[in-house]
Amino acid sequence: WAADDTQTGAVAMVKYEKDPWTQTYDTLKEAVDYATAQNANELGAMTDTLLRDVTLEQPLCVTKCYMNNVILELDGHTISGELDEALFQVSYLYGVQTVAIQNGTIRNSGSGAALLLDNGKTTLQNVNVIGDTELTAQFVISSNYVPTFIGGGTFTQIRRSSDNYNLPFGDSKSILAKGCYFVDQTGTRVSDQERLQNVTVMACQHKDENGQFTFAYDRDKRDYFCTVCGNICPHEHRSDNVCQDCGLEIGLVREKRETRYFESFDSAWTQDWSMKYTLVRDQETTTLLWNNYMTIDLNGCTFVKTEGGTPSISDGTTTVQNSAAKDGHYQGEVVVGGLNEGDGKLVIPAQNNNL
């Protein structure tokens, strides 16, 4: 997978974040190969800066990244080509490092995609992609690779590899950084029911022209969403367990891959596996299923089961604990066991557990 620059002269400069040493290269392939092949060290990220526009005759493929992170700084320049396969490919990237592409243009005038993201954490910031941006199913499904679109940039079309060209992308929020959203050429927000075609990535401040927060409560989704960008309130600014941006009175913190804040256990409950629910207020519950290896941390609070059935643990192991110095209390019953012997278990840890 060579990549040949049809022009002459130095095309890129490579530099460590914490080292004044620089090295120039005559082809983009050499520069990218060098930057991604170095071992991680205390010198920090490696920046690969484009010095001029580059035309490729063969695909540029990033297949490894051993550095802490690699930044491809396009610096206002364009990587272009006329290929019948993907012009720029990130595929089978080893490790957990990030390749950050920023501030320029990637353009393929041929029938292939301009950018193919297959495997590995990749971010795009202020990058204009002319031609398809193709994401494989593996890339989209893996929570380690997204979000990808972290602000700025226009895109001819963003699609999954297996998608029919006429179908919408689907859950576009999964590939966007928090607070970002897609708009069409008229500046209108693009919904998940629309194709990501000729779109621009915008960053939302969640405020109107008067400086007031634009969050509104969605009863069906049981949380606050921005009326401008459609994103959920991150509840980042909290005081006494009240969100200062939207006014949510936080009663519970739910953790797995990310941390989310909810009004109550009932509003946070999900059938997803291995969730941890930490109470921050006394509360009542009507939830009946405590399955799928969940953890309930009473955290010094009182948790009361109201009328309407008894919670059951019929599958997996549920842990009930109290990590706070103050006693925590559950008031109610729990039925443990399923249809077969050994189904469902309740674990109450002996250490650090003031129940």
Side-chain angles (χ1 to χ4, degrees):
W1 292 99
D4 297 325
D5 179 20
T6 60
Q7 303 180 49
T8 59
V11 67
M13 176 179 67
V14 176
K15 179 184 180 300
Y16 280 111
E17 179 182 5
K18 301 177 183 178
D19 189 340
W21 175 89
T22 60
Q23 174 71 40
T24 58
Y25 291 87
D26 291 337
T27 71
L28 185 55
K29 173 179 169 50
E30 290 176 328
V32 169
D33 283 353
Y34 178 82
T36 55
Q38 302 307 300
N39 292 323
N41 56 50
E42 70 280 359
L43 296 178
M46 180 79 83
T47 299
D48 192 341
T49 303
L50 212 59
L51 301 177
R52 58 177 173 81
D53 292 349
V54 176
T55 301
L56 302 178
E57 293 183 339
Q58 298 182 46
L60 177 67
C61 189
V62 180
T63 58
K64 56 185 179 293
C65 182
Y66 302 116
M67 277 297 302
N68 302 326
N69 286 302
V70 171
I71 301 168
L72 179 57
E73 173 58 67
L74 301 181
D75 200 27
H77 297 296
T78 299
I79 299 174
S80 62
E82 189 174 354
L83 305 182
D84 294 331
E85 54 189 313
L87 180 75
F88 193 154
Q89 306 173 20
V90 179
S91 180
Y92 303 105
L93 193 65
Y94 301 123
V96 295
Q97 294 80 5
T98 297
V99 173
I101 308 171
Q102 58 192 40
N103 305 321
T105 300
I106 301 172
R107 178 178 61 223
N108 189 3
S109 302
S111 61
L115 179 63
L116 171 65
L117 303 180
D118 178 32
N119 186 319
K121 175 67 175 173
T122 309
T123 62
L124 300 170
Q125 185 171 24
N126 298 322
V127 177
N128 301 318
V129 180
I130 303 172
D132 280 7
T133 301
E134 185 177 333
L135 312 181
T136 65
Q138 177 173 326
F139 186 90
V140 175
I141 291 171
S142 175
S143 60
N144 296 321
Y145 301 159
V146 294
T148 296
F149 303 88
I150 62 174
T154 59
F155 300 85
T156 302
Q157 179 166 246
I158 302 169
R159 66 179 182 86
R160 303 174 195 262
S161 296
S162 58
D163 280 352
N164 182 303
Y165 281 75
N166 295 317
L167 293 177
F169 184 88
D171 183 15
S172 62
K173 291 183 180 63
S174 67
I175 59 175
L176 286 162
K178 289 183 178 180
C180 289
Y181 62 111
F182 291 113
V183 298
D184 62 20
Q185 292 174 304
T186 68
T188 303
R189 175 162 59 95
V190 178
S191 73
D192 285 344
Q193 285 69 51
E194 299 176 85
R195 295 169 60 188
L196 295 179
Q197 190 174 48
N198 297 318
V199 295
T200 299
V201 180
M202 302 291 290
C204 186
Q205 302 303 314
H206 311 307
K207 292 183 179 180
D208 61 20
E209 61 274 10
N210 298 318
Q212 300 298 309
F213 284 105
T214 52
F215 293 109
Y217 190 74
D218 187 314
R219 292 186 178 278
D220 294 331
K221 297 179 179 178
R222 296 180 290 188
D223 214 326
Y224 287 82
F225 291 80
C226 178
T227 57
V228 176
C229 67
N231 283 295
I232 192 171
C233 178
H235 309 306
E236 293 175 335
H237 307 112
R238 303 178 302 279
S239 177
D240 294 327
N241 291 319
V242 176
C243 177
Q244 302 302 294
D245 298 340
C246 70
L248 176 70
E249 293 186 0
I250 299 167
L252 183 136
V253 181
R254 191 181 77 188
E255 299 171 278
K256 189 178 179 183
R257 289 184 292 268
E258 63 176 356
T259 300
R260 286 192 58 186
Y261 302 88
F262 294 88
E263 186 176 26
S264 66
F265 177 82
D266 288 357
S267 61
W269 181 85
T270 174
Q271 295 191 59
D272 198 3
W273 288 65
S274 303
M275 286 290 184
K276 181 180 180 182
Y277 302 87
T278 302
L279 278 66
V280 296
R281 294 179 187 271
D282 296 343
Q283 57 193 273
E284 297 180 343
T285 179
T286 60
T287 300
L288 298 179
L289 287 177
W290 289 12
N291 288 346
N292 298 343
Y293 296 90
M294 70 166 60
T295 296
I296 300 174
D297 188 346
L298 299 178
N299 191 35
C301 300
T302 298
F303 193 36
V304 180
K305 176 63 183 73
T306 58
E307 296 180 0
T310 301
S312 65
I313 304 171
S314 59
D315 182 34
T317 300
T318 294
T319 301
V320 178
Q321 65 186 40
N322 182 59
S323 61
K326 177 185 175 182
D327 288 352
H329 302 279
Y330 170 68
Q331 298 177 5
E333 298 178 347
V334 180
V335 176
V336 180
L339 296 176
N340 303 309
E341 184 177 354
D343 287 351
K345 295 180 181 179
L346 173 63
V347 172
I348 301 177
Q351 297 179 339
N352 302 319
N353 200 30
N354 300 313
L355 288 174

